[in-house]
Amino acid sequence: MASHEIPGDLRYTKEHEWVKVDGTVAMIGVTDFAQASLGDVVFVELPQVGDALTQNEPFGSVEAVKAVSDLFSPVSGEVSAVNEGIENDPSVVNRSPYGDGWMIKASLSDASELDDLMSAEEYAAHVAGLEQGA
Amino acid sequence: MGDALKRTPLHARHVELGGKMVPFGGWDMPLHYPPGILQEHQAVRSVAGLFDVSHMGRYFVRGPGALAFANHLIANNLAKIEPGRLLYTAMCNQGGGVLDDVTVYRLDHEVMLVVNASNRARIWEWATERLAEWSGPAASLHDESAELGQLALQGPRAQEFVAAAVAHDLDSVGYYQFAETTLLGKRALISRNGYTGEDGFEIYLPADHVGAVWDAILDAGREAGMLPAGLGCRDTLRLEMAYCLYGNELSLDVSPLEAGLGWTVKLKQSEPFLGQDSLRAQKDAGIPRQLIGFQVEGKRLARPGQGIFTGAGEGEPIGHVTSGGFSPSLQVGIGLGLVRTESVSSGDTIEIDVRGARVAATVVERPFYKQGSHR
């Protein structure tokens, strides 16, 4: 089984989004496991700057060749930036899920929500469990 | 329950190549290899791709009544083709519902039926039951699915990567024709046909020889950019050609006339085939539904099962999406749908319920992709 990159400094959802927090700004994307499971990404539907985010609620979707998946927000807040580069080249999500393939930035409304998310170790165990079951 | 999945003779090679293995019709098959669906698709359109289709079923009908019994099972007419040719058609139940779509090879003294992996058991049961009732000249059924492997080599340059290994001039094998020959010194049947819209071949050979031939073809095409190709691009390629997929366009609840396969149904043949009366009655009464192709506006993709509505966007759906997705060649969303006959025509705008949102689409002529190299 292929191993998936899981950076130690991020927090994760069980639906395979990651969030990187810098002060009150959260950067959000999907994990390496997610992009590998989805396969070639051909379109990402993202919210607009100013839209409200609610933790665990969908904020967009990813269309891969084979399937579509909802994106679930790891945190509540307000969208402050959207990665325009994805629109021109959705495959950046496959190539660089933690870098140029980031999806949105948001201002956090409740930093305590981060405690509900998984650490890298917890997420690695979650992924390992899914791969066992597969 | 991964251990319950069946494996083709090439399974270890798929894993070795880094294939993303998924369950398909009871088989553990590669969805794609590391290059991914889009690159594999492009390789088939521009150079060639090699598919393992050994999971399909290969049944032979033998005996003096082989031709007559095989013809009884299918909606097309084998008597109209010479030995050395094959045809595509539907196998129907008495109600005219599609049990499977099949390719049928007319050999000198026997017939080979190639059936979908997901329908193998059902077709075997169906055919043996019908044989038990058969009162025509003697025929017998033989399942050689395990003894034989099957490859599909598809792409505009397919022939050059296999020609050297074949003891037969492939130029003499026309579209929907085949040769019984040898490949790397062992017996093989090679037909010029496929499921992608490109030129290419289906190759049938002893199961213990499939690995060597797979390796040799990949070696021959590697430098030119040929890739091993998985089920993912097999689906995107066939959808661009608007070819039917069993379980999507075709099912027991759909007749071949509805699914656009009327050209494979020979209703006037004198020797009756299973489903003939029902199909004839359906044609006389008016075919209730028809298959359409559509192109979606914007980037959201239609997916199977979603409702199709007329442009007004109100009222009941006129039908549903049977296949939908992204066309790598055309870079747009495309799909097929089964709708009420004459509810829409080419050029009309329709709306599709994509996960609660109405997405506009235009009804277009099939196939979507018109530059294929098949001949």
Side-chain angles (χ1 to χ4, degrees):
Chain A
M1 192 58 72
S3 69
H4 302 284
E5 195 193 337
I6 302 175
D9 58 339
L10 308 180
R11 306 287 289 180
Y12 299 88
T13 69
K14 66 179 192 303
E15 289 90 7
H16 312 288
E17 290 82 13
W18 57 261
V19 58
K20 181 178 190 176
V21 178
D22 185 4
T24 58
V25 177
M27 185 188 260
I28 296 166
V30 297
T31 66
D32 188 32
F33 175 83
Q35 71 77 20
S37 305
L38 286 163
D40 292 324
V41 172
V42 294
F43 173 57
V44 183
E45 185 173 44
L46 294 175
Q48 294 184 325
V49 171
D51 285 357
L53 295 175
T54 306
Q55 189 179 35
N56 302 325
E57 293 293 316
F59 69 91
S61 60
V62 180
E63 294 270 11
V65 176
K66 285 302 289 179
V68 58
S69 301
D70 276 327
L71 293 164
F72 293 90
S73 186
V75 291
S76 301
E78 185 180 301
V79 178
S80 59
V82 171
N83 184 357
E84 309 282 348
I86 293 179
E87 166 117 28
N88 301 325
D89 180 12
S91 68
V92 70
V93 176
N94 294 115
R95 289 196 311 277
S96 179
Y98 300 112
D100 293 343
W102 66 275
M103 292 184 171
I104 57 171
K105 290 179 188 171
S107 59
L108 280 177
S109 60
D110 179 0
S112 73
E113 284 179 350
L114 296 169
D115 298 337
D116 303 336
L117 302 173
M118 285 186 269
S119 68
E121 292 73 26
E122 289 163 337
Y123 180 66
H126 174 59
V127 166
L130 292 175
E131 291 189 328
Q132 296 267 275
Chain B
M1 304 306 288
D3 53 356
L5 293 172
K6 294 189 280 282
R7 296 176 168 191
T8 76
L10 294 171
H11 187 273
R13 280 174 171 79
H14 299 319
V15 173
E16 179 98 347
L17 285 164
K20 180 179 165 68
M21 306 303 287
V22 296
F24 180 83
W27 293 74
D28 195 33
M29 297 298 290
L31 182 64
H32 60 79
Y33 301 92
I37 294 174
L38 296 176
Q39 281 191 49
E40 291 167 27
H41 180 108
Q42 184 53 31
V44 173
R45 287 272 179 253
S46 59
V47 186
L50 185 61
F51 300 84
D52 177 15
V53 285
S54 301
H55 59 313
M56 298 184 79
R58 292 158 290 275
Y59 299 151
F60 287 79
V61 189
R62 300 201 171 109
L67 189 71
F69 179 65
N71 225 18
H72 179 61
L73 294 175
I74 62 170
N76 211 324
N77 189 356
L78 268 181
K80 293 280 190 195
I81 62 170
E82 303 286 316
R85 293 179 183 257
L86 59 140
L87 52 74
Y88 170 73
T89 190
M91 205 181 275
C92 295
N93 62 17
Q94 287 90 341
V98 180
L99 288 157
D100 200 11
D101 62 323
V102 293
T103 48
V104 188
Y105 289 68
R106 182 168 178 185
L107 293 98
D108 284 331
H109 304 291
E110 57 189 340
V111 174
M112 177 168 70
L113 299 166
V114 181
V115 307
N116 281 302
S118 52
N119 291 328
R120 269 171 73 158
R122 179 165 87 183
I123 295 300
W124 181 256
E125 191 179 336
W126 171 260
T128 50
E129 283 170 13
R130 300 293 80 75
L131 184 61
E133 300 164 358
W134 175 245
S135 57
S140 58
L141 272 167
H142 307 264
D143 180 359
E144 298 194 1
S145 308
E147 287 78 10
L148 296 173
Q150 184 179 341
L151 301 176
L153 172 60
Q154 295 280 297
R157 294 177 63 183
Q159 185 166 325
E160 63 188 89
F161 306 130
V162 71
V166 181
H168 193 94
D169 176 15
L170 290 174
D171 279 333
S172 70
V173 180
Y175 192 49
Y176 270 74
Q177 296 181 13
F178 66 89
E180 290 174 271
T181 178
T182 62
L183 183 48
L184 295 180
K186 291 202 184 170
R187 74 183 171 93
L189 186 155
I190 302 181
S191 57
R192 189 186 297 273
N193 64 307
Y195 195 45
T196 65
E198 301 300 332
D199 189 24
F201 303 90
E202 301 241 332
I203 303 169
Y204 302 83
L205 65 181
D208 61 4
H209 197 45
V210 179
V213 169
W214 168 270
D215 294 344
I217 294 174
L218 283 183
D219 281 347
R222 186 167 291 119
E223 220 158 277
M226 180 169 76
L227 292 176
L231 295 178
C233 76
R234 196 165 163 79
D235 192 41
T236 54
L237 290 158
R238 73 94 198 167
L239 182 56
E240 287 186 341
M241 294 305 296
Y243 293 154
C244 291
L245 173 64
Y246 198 90
N248 286 43
E249 284 67 42
L250 302 175
S251 75
L252 286 172
D253 299 324
V254 178
S255 90
L257 304 178
E258 293 178 305
L261 298 183
W263 60 279
T264 75
V265 177
K266 307 299 181 200
L267 285 176
K268 288 179 185 152
Q269 55 187 303
S270 52
E271 295 300 321
F273 67 84
L274 292 160
Q276 186 174 16
D277 292 343
S278 298
L279 293 174
R280 209 180 261 155
Q282 185 179 70
K283 193 174 182 195
D284 291 344
I287 300 164
R289 293 173 296 182
Q290 68 179 114
L291 196 68
I292 58 163
F294 59 83
Q295 180 178 325
V296 298
E297 285 169 27
K299 301 270 182 93
R300 301 186 78 168
L301 302 176
R303 301 290 183 183
Q306 294 168 345
I308 298 176
F309 298 81
T310 54
E314 287 170 6
E316 293 295 301
I318 56 168
H320 68 277
V321 176
T322 53
S323 291
F326 181 72
S327 163
S329 301
L330 306 173
Q331 294 284 308
V332 294
I334 58 173
L336 297 171
L338 202 57
V339 301
R340 234 173 33 235
T341 297
E342 285 174 10
S343 53
V344 287
S345 54
S346 200
D348 286 355
T349 299
I350 54 173
E351 288 190 348
I352 298 167
D353 183 353
V354 178
R355 305 182 334 129
R358 288 296 178 88
V359 168
T362 306
V363 180
V364 298
E365 300 286 344
R366 294 168 282 148
F368 303 98
Y369 183 74
K370 298 177 173 69
Q371 284 79 49
S373 58
H374 69 308
R375 45 181 169 167

